[in-house]
Amino acid sequence: MIRGQLARPTLIPRPLALSPLPPPAAAVLVWAVWGVMLWVAFAFVHRYAGRAPVHDDLVFLSVQLDPAFPSPRTLWEPFNEHRLPLPKLASWGTARVAGYDLPAQMRVNLALLAAAAAALVVAARAARGTTRPTDAFFPLLLLSVGQWENLLWAIQINFALPVFLTAAVLALVATAGPALSTGRAAVVGVALLALSLCGVQGLVPAIPLGGWLVAVGFDGLRRKPRSCGPGFQAGAGQLPTPGSETRAIRKRRAAFVALGFGAATLAVVAAYFATLSRDPNAPLALDGRGLRYALRVCAAAWGPAGELLEPPSPGRVSILGAATATLAVVTGVMVALAVRSRDRRVPAAGVALFLAAGLALCLGIGASRAAVWGTLVHNRYVTLAAPVLCGVYLAWVRFGPPLVAKWVTGGLCLTAVAFAWPNAARGHAEAWQWTAPQFLLADDIARGVPMSFLLDHHGHFINGWPADNGVPTARAALERLKAAGVKPFDRIAPEPTLWEVPTAWRVAAAVPPAGPDGTFAPDGLDPVTLRVTFDRPPNVRGLVVRYTAGPGSHGSEIAWHGCGPTGVPVSRVVAQPFAAGTGAKRFWLAEDASEITVRTSGGSGVRIDGVSAIVSE
């Protein structure tokens, strides 16, 4: 080269980028998506959150209302096959800060999911060295309102918390170097120990990753670090360099921390299984049903819109679920091959075990729930399955060939974008059906419906569990909430003195018409609908409807009809369902209601045996 002449830079070919956005603009885009998704989810919770405890919420009721710190026995007490000490403790802490306020707990659940998405975005940047637009995949997946059940059910802290901890572990493991530092080993260890205290959904990832942490610790202790610097020669009389001794001490300290936390995690797991009792109401389906259900759970990782593409059908395999599971398996194999590299062995083994744990959790849900739910995958499993896809994404970022990784992560992000709107639409549609009974309960309390009628109208919705399942009954729950001064339950009206008196009534219209014995039988698949009018005696407060329903009746309900304050017609379902045989339903009326509708589907029909008025002084 001639003196003073600049050398021509060597051009290194770079893989084709899927997005022309420079890194700063890509980061702005990704965090803008995270912010918008969080704002939409927060508005969703604010709009639809109800204040009434529903079913499993009653498991935490005693802990939330008791200001005293819960005892270890209370925290360890099981519910079905789950022990949930950490979610119970988190729920107790929320109640101490915000009072017994279920919407506040829902916002905490949302904050945990938002933190999980943020941690994974940061991890993708750390693993790749820059942020790409496709990293918006994480908020699109974890903050979708399609997972409405986990956003609008306070008890789902027992899903949101382990998902947050799982995401934290994934972020730390996927971005680890050839060896864990003391700080990283401690944070991963604390997260795994916490996961082991979050029920079965936390145990499944805690077991393999706890074993991984133990192996990392043993490996660090087995390898003797050099006690001298690179310039030391034996017999030369030189002392080890201070830097090499410090690094050796740090490595051994990190190994001891990893080994200690990994062993503690596995000890908690052993204690859990030593006292585990299976739920007799959830028999295992260790056959094709369980596998098909597990694949539907894998499909649910994308949100409930997957059910719109592939409606549940017995014996049918979910194509979306099979594709998702196959992608996870292929990714796991790709990561497992990276274990052969000494520099990538620690993170590769951790990520491979993470993917295996995610698939194992889907299989466990399939085996334990297929016999109970058939082909229906409950919306709450959307959140538990989503970390599998997050693990796939980060695995390709860290270990995949750059060009292939860009296409895989881009495909994952585009799929999440395609599902975003259908998921949101499904979430809003389901949210109103979930929350409407809670708003109706609050409305009934505001208009003075007494306790016994509240239970008649809403008791099954509050607690449909058997009376011997160990949680408060609907009556006990409402009485405790009233005694604790929790709004709006503190305004439940006292029980009035009531009488039942006969009243004139008639069936004004019926579809189909009555048979010879007065029974209204369904015509094929069409339901029986009866419009019954009655005379209102003075001081009427409610009605008692006596009926005879045929076996197999379902979807039965009674609704009163009246006018609202502005003259707009108002209808409300107040009693459901019917029991086969002879029975009676009583319900509190609106002030101007003079007509009811009786509706039942299936069975051999229904007959109205009498209508009586409930009056007060």
Side-chain angles (χ1 to χ4, degrees):
M1 181 177 67
I2 300 175
R3 186 186 299 265
Q5 181 178 349
L6 294 177
R8 179 176 296 179
T10 302
L11 298 179
I12 302 175
R14 301 179 62 185
L16 177 65
L18 294 180
S19 171
L21 287 179
V28 170
L29 174 64
V30 170
W31 288 108
V33 172
W34 180 87
V36 169
M37 295 295 293
L38 177 58
W39 180 83
V40 170
F42 182 86
F44 180 83
V45 171
H46 180 75
R47 170 66 180 86
Y48 293 110
R51 295 183 174 274
V54 180
H55 291 275
D56 291 5
D57 282 329
L58 301 180
V59 177
F60 288 2
L61 180 65
S62 298
V63 172
Q64 291 170 314
L65 292 180
D66 190 351
F69 191 87
S71 66
R73 180 177 180 179
T74 298
L75 294 176
W76 192 248
E77 186 178 9
F79 175 65
N80 293 336
E81 68 268 33
H82 296 283
R83 296 188 186 275
L84 306 164
L86 195 59
K88 281 184 183 179
L89 190 59
S91 184
W92 176 85
T94 302
R96 301 287 70 75
V97 173
Y100 185 83
D101 184 19
L102 297 182
Q105 182 64 70
M106 298 172 201
R107 288 189 283 271
V108 170
N109 299 351
L110 173 59
L112 289 170
L113 296 176
L120 293 172
V121 170
V122 173
R125 176 184 176 84
R128 190 193 295 116
T130 185
T131 299
R132 294 236 171 91
T134 56
D135 294 346
F137 168 78
F138 297 114
L140 287 171
L141 192 71
L142 293 177
L143 294 178
S144 169
V145 298
Q147 53 182 334
W148 57 270
E149 196 170 36
N150 287 326
L151 294 177
L152 300 178
W153 202 1
I155 187 64
Q156 291 310 98
I157 179 68
N158 66 357
F159 280 13
L161 183 56
V163 167
F164 163 73
L165 294 170
T166 302
V169 170
L170 173 62
L172 291 168
V173 171
T175 57
L180 295 183
S181 65
T182 302
R184 189 179 294 262
V187 176
V188 171
V190 169
L192 290 178
L193 189 59
L195 273 173
S196 67
L197 299 173
C198 289
V200 173
Q201 52 269 24
L203 285 178
V204 173
I207 293 172
L209 290 170
W212 167 82
L213 203 56
V214 169
V216 169
F218 270 123
D219 185 64
L221 294 177
R222 181 176 58 86
R223 295 180 178 274
K224 291 186 178 181
R226 297 176 181 177
S227 60
C228 52
F232 177 75
Q233 295 180 1
Q238 297 179 7
L239 295 176
T241 61
S244 65
E245 286 291 338
T246 303
R247 286 194 298 272
I249 293 173
R250 284 201 295 262
K251 288 180 180 179
R252 292 184 66 82
R253 183 188 301 123
F256 275 118
V257 169
L259 182 60
F261 275 109
T265 299
L266 296 180
V268 173
V269 171
Y272 188 104
F273 282 109
T275 56
L276 178 67
S277 58
R278 279 283 305 146
D279 180 7
N281 297 317
L284 293 178
L286 302 176
D287 53 15
R289 292 177 304 163
L291 180 58
R292 288 192 295 271
Y293 195 94
L295 291 178
R296 299 207 72 86
V297 174
C298 290
W302 295 102
E307 299 285 348
L308 301 177
L309 293 176
E310 302 175 297
S313 176
R316 180 178 177 181
V317 175
S318 168
I319 298 176
L320 179 62
T324 303
T326 301
L327 177 61
V329 171
V330 170
T331 303
V333 172
M334 181 267 295
V335 176
L337 293 176
V339 174
R340 296 177 297 180
S341 170
R342 174 65 185 171
D343 292 338
R344 300 196 295 176
R345 182 172 302 168
V346 168
V351 172
L353 289 172
F354 179 92
L355 292 172
L359 291 176
L361 182 58
C362 293
L363 286 171
I365 295 173
S368 61
R369 294 296 180 259
V372 179
W373 305 121
T375 58
L376 175 64
V377 175
H378 278 269
N379 182 265
R380 53 184 172 269
Y381 297 135
V382 168
T383 307
L384 287 185
V388 176
L389 290 173
C390 296
V392 168
Y393 188 101
L394 272 185
W396 282 97
V397 170
R398 177 67 194 273
F399 303 104
L403 182 58
V404 179
K406 286 186 177 183
W407 285 103
V408 172
T409 55
L412 289 171
C413 184
L414 289 176
T415 305
V417 170
F419 277 115
W421 177 252
N423 281 334
R426 182 71 177 270
H428 281 279
E430 297 286 350
W432 176 245
Q433 297 184 30
W434 172 263
T435 306
Q438 300 186 58
F439 291 157
L440 293 178
L441 171 60
D443 183 60
D444 279 352
I445 293 174
R447 65 188 186 89
V449 178
M451 176 73 77
S452 62
F453 284 86
L454 289 176
L455 296 172
D456 288 341
H457 295 182
H458 309 283
H460 183 75
F461 169 76
I462 295 173
N463 185 7
W465 291 105
D468 59 349
N469 75 327
V471 301
T473 62
R475 175 181 289 277
L478 292 182
E479 288 176 345
R480 291 200 62 178
L481 292 170
K482 180 180 179 180
V486 176
K487 296 183 181 301
F489 309 99
D490 58 336
R491 294 182 292 148
I492 294 178
E495 205 70 34
T497 302
L498 301 171
W499 290 271
E500 181 180 342
V501 299
T503 185
W505 63 277
R506 64 187 181 278
V507 177
V511 179
D517 61 348
T519 298
F520 299 89
D523 183 9
L525 298 178
D526 295 329
V528 172
T529 302
L530 310 177
R531 185 165 63 88
V532 180
T533 59
F534 57 91
D535 294 340
R536 292 178 58 91
N539 300 323
V540 64
R541 292 292 180 265
L543 285 184
V544 176
V545 176
R546 290 180 170 79
Y547 65 90
T548 300
S553 297
H554 61 274
S556 307
E557 62 186 30
I558 297 177
W560 57 256
H561 308 280
C563 290
T566 60
V568 177
V570 177
S571 299
R572 179 176 302 173
V573 176
V574 291
Q576 60 177 332
F578 286 2
T582 301
K585 290 288 185 182
R586 66 172 201 155
F587 50 92
W588 199 262
L589 287 173
E591 285 72 10
D592 61 347
S594 58
E595 181 179 298
I596 63 172
T597 297
V598 180
R599 181 184 175 93
T600 183
S601 302
S604 55
V606 63
R607 184 180 68 240
I608 304 300
D609 298 326
V611 177
S612 301
I614 300 174
V615 300
S616 62
E617 296 178 332

